[in-house]
Amino acid sequence: METLHIIGGGMAGSEAAWQAASMGVPVVLHEMRPKVGTFAHQSGNFAEMVCSNSFRSDDDERNAVGLLHWEMRAAGGLIMQMADRHQLPAGGALAVDREAFAEAVTAALRSHPLISFAEGEITELPREGHWIIATGPLTSGALAESIRTETGAESLAFFDAIAPIVYAESIDMDVVWRQSRYDKGETEEEQKAYLNCPMTKPQYEAFIDAILAAEKTEFHEGETAGYFDGCLPIEVMAERGRETLRYGPMKPIGLTNAHQPDVKPYAVVQLRRDNALGTLYNIVGFQTKMKYGAQTSVFRMIPGLENASFARLGGIHRNTFLNSPTLLDDRMRLRTRPGLRFAGQITGVEGYVESAAMGLLAGRMAAAGLLGRDLPPPPPETAMGSLIHHITGGAEAKTFQPMNVNFGLFPPIDAKGGRRGRKDRYKAYTDRAKDAFRAWLAQ
């Protein structure tokens, strides 16, 4: 039996190792800590939680994250098993004792007879064998450079410049209209690729005032040097002059308001479709360091977004991730090097649970391959399936950014609108997903 090598002992690498070993495949787990540290990690334990100690909502009936918890439990996931064992009171969320949790994951992996360990840094992509790279957002500089050399300079990002993403169903289409600037495009779909939110001069002035007054997070060392020239946060643009945004991402030229053709907007906020399903739209050019609470209130000042529901809020921070839609196949293999799989945050998912889920899939798929079988991804109707579909082809490659699991990634379900309708619709999503995931597991 050939051996599966896994680089990185975070959420994804730990889960991948557990899944592959549980299928009878010998695993070597490579981890550079504690020999080589990072600025975020405090220990040499596997699955160390470096930010929050929360796995977020545990509601598997009306929440996409809770559904992902359910799927990982159903698949015998180590991360969820140890999270449940070391749970802390947190209302409807799943929070854990982070030290006890990491120690338990480490003990479980070290006690498995098919898992062995190699300490020290791996500085370049291996040329032979079967590997999963699960090195996360803090991939070491040498290995990141090797990945960049293999995939192309434009295919590996070292920063998130994240624009907020809005659920399409929460946009007021009585205010917003569809049009590409100057009606560019050869097809009607291309000519109407953007949603446009018009602003009057008073609305624009109030919006600028709100941006300037909003609470912001600080930049960390190394986040600003030589980076923001082509990707400035909106608050930095506003600080450079009150009209800067109106000549940047909010320029009104080339656009005619379909609802009021004779009224020229003073400024326009554009939204661009963010997934193939058309359920998510990102606010173009609106990367920001505003705190999350401030973002919600400021962005709801935009006409048409007064009742906006956000799948993701904006941000800018250091993060290493692949342009996975162009690089990975649906088995999470590098298209140019099928012996290499990627898993976790480096693939462009965000969050502990999402990272572990991609590790679970990569571990199972790699093990199946070594056992002479092919394991397809879960259906897109499932939480895991929606994530892997998004990162390996459902997302727009040109605007690809890390994403949490959310119902906007799932194939839509027809249901009546309103708050009551939304609750019923979410339950329909999770019921459908559980049936599909059970059928996938039965394979």
Side-chain angles (χ1 to χ4, degrees), residues 248-323:
M250 295 179 68
K251 56 181 177 284
I253 60 170
L255 297 167
T256 301
N257 187 343
H259 302 299
Q260 294 180 295
D262 299 329
V263 178
K264 187 68 177 175
Y266 187 76
V268 173
V269 175
Q270 288 200 302
L271 286 75
R272 178 173 51 218
R273 194 171 76 174
D274 204 75
N275 65 345
L277 296 171
T279 54
L280 301 172
Y281 278 79
N282 73 69
I283 308 180
V284 178
F286 269 48
Q287 55 278 353
T288 178
K289 293 286 278 188
M290 283 190 288
K291 291 190 174 180
Y292 283 173
Q295 288 187 46
T296 302
S297 58
V298 170
F299 295 147
R300 284 180 179 155
M301 294 174 69
I302 298 171
L305 302 187
E306 291 89 349
N307 298 305
S309 181
F310 295 91
R312 182 186 72 196
L313 289 165
I316 297 175
H317 56 87
R318 190 194 187 288
N319 192 3
T320 302
F321 65 95
L322 296 168
N323 192 319

Side-chain angles (χ1 to χ4, degrees), residues 304-367:
L305 302 187
E306 291 89 349
N307 298 305
S309 181
F310 295 91
R312 182 186 72 196
L313 289 165
I316 297 175
H317 56 87
R318 190 194 187 288
N319 192 3
T320 302
F321 65 95
L322 296 168
N323 192 319
S324 293
T326 64
L327 296 174
L328 302 183
D329 68 13
D330 64 358
R331 268 63 168 177
M332 306 179 78
R333 296 172 297 206
L334 194 61
R335 296 179 192 275
T336 58
R337 300 266 304 280
L340 300 178
R341 279 180 168 86
F342 285 80
Q345 277 189 260
I346 198 169
T347 65
V349 296
E350 194 74 78
Y352 293 139
V353 186
E354 291 88 340
S355 297
M358 294 303 96
L360 187 152
L361 291 180
R364 283 188 167 228
M365 288 173 168

Side-chain angles (χ1 to χ4, degrees), residues 51 90 100 125 141 166 183 204 241 259 317 379 408 438:
C51 298
L125 285 176
V166 179
D183 299 308
Y204 176 80
H259 302 299
H317 56 87
R438 289 188 190 99

